[in-house]
Amino acid sequence: SMSFRKTLAVGSASILIPISAASIYYRPIPNANEPIDILAERAHVQDPFLIALGRKLVHLTGAVFAKGLIQVFNRFELKKDENYYVFLNSIKNRGKNVPLLTVSNHASPLDDPCLLGAVIPLPMAALKPELLRFSICAREICFKNAALSTFFSLSKVMPIIRGDGIDQKMFRLFQGRLAAGSWCHIFPEGQCFQIGALSGRKGSRRQEIGRLKWGVGKLIAHSPVRPIVVPIFHTGMQNLMPLDPITRKSIHFWPRIGNVITARCGPRIDVSDLIDAHERKFGKLEAYSTTSNSRESGRESTEAELALYSAITRKIEEALLKLEWEARSELKERFPTFPKEVRETFKECEFDPETGYKKDSL
């Protein structure tokens, strides 16, 4: 009836308007002279009620979309072995203030939230946003304006400023989330690489200091409680949203369907030996805090700390490469490399084999 529709409209507006207002107020502002992320500054306390409610609505919608795209319109092969169930248990039952850090290869702009959303059971992904990951995204991609900032903040995405390094304030705020015992996810390659293989840093430095970015090493090294670190390797996501290897922009507006995506988890990565050896030689590492004051007075990492971050990151690289090898061994000729559209348009000899982008385009 008309009265019912009016009541429904008024009721919906009475919920959505205050949620929207609160979400806009609390949104990150990474483009300010002094970048701001109010919610991250409050990592040690419970989110405001309206923000928590807004996150439930956003994650419910996102989980349904992710499951539909990955598991209905494409085929999803998830390796449900002991490592996978240990990972799921770590999300739910890892103990108070124990952080969870997941690391994975980055093949598509849809890896997060779609791939991660498909890996997690629907009831958890849709109805338990308080258990789900925090992640980071470049401010020029996810935080270009107030609307995007509001949406991605509700999606538990935090801004990062490319080029400002691992000692920047926005990364320290992300560290604060881990310090508070949250689940955080990071793509240590630093950007999308659509060659199927683990990529990242290129050139001679790749062999010298590794292919992955050291921020993940810093996250782990300075955590007040040693985080549970779980590697995840996936294949096929590059075919859902292929990127032009020259411009690096999406070739299609809508995700592609009819592809095969696989995912597998590895065993927990233990880097205690590296941290203990460092602390025996140089003294106890400074642990970052969930309070804003300690993170705003950030200092530059020392040479010894950088060496530790590099060693930790190398161990993560080895774990991801092992999962890649397992995927290649199981999938054989089905292991996907360049996106189909790229193979049909460009000759593979034009690509840098370490990055998948056209040579000299980086």
Side-chain angles (χ1 to χ4, degrees):
S1 67
M2 182 65 70
S3 59
F4 173 76
R5 288 197 294 270
K6 284 184 178 180
T7 302
L8 182 62
V10 171
S12 300
S14 65
I15 295 173
L16 294 178
I17 289 175
I19 288 176
S20 300
S23 302
I24 291 171
Y25 174 78
Y26 283 110
R27 76 186 190 279
I29 308 177
N31 297 308
N33 290 332
E34 180 65 23
I36 298 169
D37 190 340
I38 299 175
L39 290 175
E41 299 282 0
R42 299 162 43 96
H44 57 295
V45 300
Q46 192 172 8
D47 283 337
F49 171 75
L50 289 174
I51 297 297
L53 186 58
R55 283 185 168 156
K56 284 184 181 293
L57 294 175
V58 168
H59 280 85
L60 174 61
T61 305
V64 172
F65 173 77
K67 291 289 185 181
L69 177 63
I70 303 297
Q71 295 178 282
V72 177
F73 293 103
N74 293 276
R75 193 168 92 233
F76 187 46
E77 299 176 2
L78 175 62
K79 188 171 184 179
K80 294 184 177 180
D81 57 4
E82 181 182 355
N83 292 327
Y84 172 70
Y85 289 109
V86 168
F87 163 59
L88 287 187
N89 188 60
S90 298
I91 297 175
K92 298 179 290 184
N93 305 307
R94 62 181 178 275
K96 187 178 181 181
N97 297 327
V98 177
L100 171 63
L101 179 65
T102 50
V103 293
S104 74
N105 57 314
H106 198 8
S108 164
L110 296 176
D111 290 347
D112 185 7
C114 292
L115 188 280
L116 288 177
V119 167
I120 303 166
L122 182 60
M124 184 190 301
L127 303 175
K128 296 284 187 179
E130 65 275 10
L131 295 179
L132 301 184
R133 95 290 172 262
F134 284 94
S135 64
I136 50 178
C137 181
R139 64 177 177 179
E140 68 269 19
I141 296 175
C142 296
F143 298 87
K144 291 189 291 186
N145 53 52
L148 286 175
S149 294
T150 300
F151 173 77
F152 282 106
S153 178
L154 288 176
S155 303
K156 300 180 76 171
V157 178
M158 299 173 62
I160 198 78
I161 302 175
R162 278 182 175 167
D164 275 14
I166 60 176
D167 296 321
Q168 64 174 282
K169 176 184 177 182
M170 302 314 287
F171 193 69
R172 295 198 302 274
L173 292 176
F174 188 55
Q175 290 176 314
R177 286 294 187 185
L178 198 71
S182 299
W183 169 18
C184 293
H185 181 83
I186 194 168
F187 297 103
E189 290 169 295
Q191 60 181 358
C192 294
F193 292 97
Q194 300 199 320
I195 59 175
L198 186 70
S199 188
R201 191 179 284 111
K202 62 176 291 189
S204 60
R205 297 283 283 170
R206 180 188 182 100
Q207 296 300 322
E208 180 185 345
I209 62 175
R211 67 187 73 191
L212 303 181
K213 304 289 188 179
W214 291 355
V216 65
K218 183 172 184 177
L219 277 174
I220 297 168
H222 294 281
S223 177
V225 177
R226 298 274 170 88
I228 297 168
V229 184
V230 177
I232 302 172
F233 189 85
H234 55 86
T235 69
M237 287 297 293
Q238 62 268 38
N239 288 321
L240 267 69
M241 189 62 75
L243 304 177
D244 186 294
I246 300 174
T247 66
R248 305 194 212 179
K249 295 182 178 180
S250 298
I251 295 175
H252 306 290
F253 182 77
W254 296 107
R256 304 291 90 186
I257 64 174
N259 300 287
V260 177
I261 298 105
T262 76
R264 66 193 63 231
C265 298
R268 294 179 178 181
I269 303 172
D270 184 8
V271 297
S272 297
D273 56 333
L274 300 175
I275 295 175
D276 292 343
H278 175 94
E279 292 187 329
R280 283 195 298 270
K281 187 174 182 180
F282 298 102
K284 192 163 182 65
L285 286 159
E286 178 186 354
Y288 48 73
S289 170
T290 59
T291 59
S292 60
N293 290 337
S294 64
R295 295 197 307 282
E296 286 179 342
S297 57
R299 57 171 178 80
E300 290 189 5
S301 301
T302 66
E303 287 297 320
E305 288 172 338
L306 290 173
L308 174 63
Y309 307 159
S310 176
I312 292 173
T313 306
R314 282 280 198 173
K315 207 161 187 177
I316 289 169
E317 180 179 327
E318 291 169 4
L320 288 170
L321 286 173
K322 184 178 180 181
L323 289 178
E324 179 190 326
W325 179 83
E326 291 177 6
R328 288 182 182 275
S329 299
E330 292 180 16
L331 297 174
K332 296 182 171 60
E333 67 279 358
R334 292 200 302 135
F335 187 89
T337 55
F338 296 101
K340 299 169 187 176
E341 290 85 346
V342 174
R343 289 201 309 268
E344 293 166 359
T345 308
F346 301 92
K347 294 180 181 178
E348 291 193 15
C349 63
E350 296 177 343
F351 293 99
D352 183 323
E354 294 179 348
T355 65
Y357 292 125
K358 189 174 176 62
K359 290 183 178 179
D360 302 322
S361 69
L362 289 176

